[in-house]
Amino acid sequence: MSLNGYEAVIGLEIHVQLRTRTKMFCGCELSFGDDPNVHTCPVCLAHPGSLPVVNAQAIQYGIQIGLALGCEIAPRSIFHRKNYFYPDNPKAYQISQYDIPLAINGRLGDIRIHRVHLEEDAAKLVHQSESGRIHGSGAGASLVDFNRGGTPLVEIVSEPDVRSGAEAREWLQLLRSTIKAIGASDVNMEEGSLRCDANVSIRPEGAQELGTKTELKNMNSFRFIERGIDAELARQRELVERGEAVTQETLHFDPRSGSITSLRSKEEAHDYRYFPEPDLVPLAPTDEMLAEARAALPELPGEREERYASELSVPDAHARQLARDPELGELFEAVLAAGPASPGAVANWVIGEAQARDVEPAALAALVAMVEDGKVTTQAAKQVLGKLAESGGDPAQIVEAEGLGAMEDSGELEEIVERALAAHPDEAEKVKAGGMQAIGPIIGFVMRETKGAADGKEVTRLVREKLGN
Ligand SMILES: [Zn+2]
């Protein structure tokens, strides 16, 4: 996206709901889609005198996310109270981390990580429409479901290194696949277990000083994030070009209309009157906890991409796709482990052919190896793939039974090419005169006659040879 002499400066704030069994500070079970207010207790409903207890699994996930993002883990971080009143927040404060977060100074891909900290989610407000009102409530009432209140969250804040909506989208996909690989969250944007805000500003190209930023709130799909950021960048550029100032505020992007509206003026940190949570001790992970968290980390997408590209010589775009899509990556690994086919060819088939995903890895490995050995053409192999996906079996036997083996006898192929030329005299004339686009029906004839067993390149070569072209 062109910004006419301006540079975009974008920082991302991501909230991830952790996949623990229970809430951050009490024993209530996490749930999604259960009846409202069935997972509550005095702690998450903020009854007077109730005391929080930190969830150990949430801490381990937090540390793992920090490590996976290349951060330094703080030897001693502090929980704070972030004070604000809202109906979804019964304590009138959220337990979060403030000046000493769990992890700082990391990097994922090209984007630096400012901080990673632990906190708790708010409850969920359900706004009733006039027609959907329930017994006893007025029209348009708002109801509170406390099931979500107290769900463990990790907040990840990037440095303002992102330069476009497209880059934000791609980076968030990498972040999502990284957290998914750890198993720390479902990272499902539709269900709200991954939520993203973007701080957006522009400045003249080459300038060091940052422009006034706005905050785009709660965009719930990767596509909307890209579109929302680009729309906000365009809005800011227009303002600045008209000589007007950008106001620091919180904004909402409506993906249906593409419009941006103001939600409220932006709070400053001092509005929240942060102070240390007196009911919790500082979080000081032991060496054992750190070692355990590190040992439980799987190979992460970034590392996997690097390994595929450098050790297996898989082309970059394919290496990236396999590394970031866990299902594709697993199939790729299984096919490689099962047979002699080369990684580049396996990557091609796994990514390029949807039906490959329904085939036994060993069968796919055998088929790809047959293509590489010239025993079957790519085109015939696709037919074999279809049969394998449908009813399984042994690729070599299918090739044999269906007569799909590559033609090794070039005399036979020559004879078929001659018949093809005889059957298409007009096209043959055109090809002879240099009109190669007329070759289609001739090749089609050969392919039909050979059931796709002929190699397309070889057929083209023979046709040209016979026509003296
Ligand atoms: Zn509870």
Side-chain angles (χ1 to χ4, degrees), residues 23 26 28 40-41 44:
K23 292 186 181 181
C26 66
C28 291
T40 61
C41 74
C44 56

Side-chain angles (χ1 to χ4, degrees), residues 366-403:
L367 180 62
V368 176
M370 287 172 76
V371 176
E372 290 194 283
D373 293 343
K375 291 185 182 144
V376 60
T377 63
T378 301
Q379 206 167 359
K382 286 182 187 176
Q383 294 181 45
V384 179
L385 189 67
K387 298 209 181 294
L388 287 171
E390 225 175 83
S391 44
D394 172 35
Q397 277 173 11
I398 294 173
V399 167
E400 182 73 36
E402 305 276 330

Side-chain angles (χ1 to χ4, degrees), residues 197-217:
D197 306 331
N199 289 303
V200 179
S201 65
I202 60 170
R203 65 184 172 194
E205 261 168 21
Q208 289 303 307
E209 205 183 327
L210 295 169
T212 304
K213 67 183 175 187
T214 57
E215 185 178 23
L216 276 173
K217 270 293 193 199

Side-chain angles (χ1 to χ4, degrees), residues 400-443:
E400 182 73 36
E402 305 276 330
L404 289 170
M407 303 195 58
E408 281 159 30
D409 179 357
S410 66
E412 192 186 342
L413 186 58
E414 270 190 70
E415 185 266 322
I416 296 171
V417 168
E418 271 166 18
R419 278 199 282 128
L421 292 175
H424 295 279
D426 294 349
E427 285 83 357
E429 266 317 303
K430 285 183 191 149
V431 173
K432 193 171 181 178
M436 284 309 289
Q437 62 272 33
I439 202 171
I442 301 171
I443 292 187

Side-chain angles (χ1 to χ4, degrees), residues 149-168:
T151 296
L153 290 181
V154 158
E155 179 174 334
I156 299 159
V157 182
S158 87
E159 294 289 355
D161 292 346
V162 181
R163 293 290 169 265
S164 69
E167 191 183 9

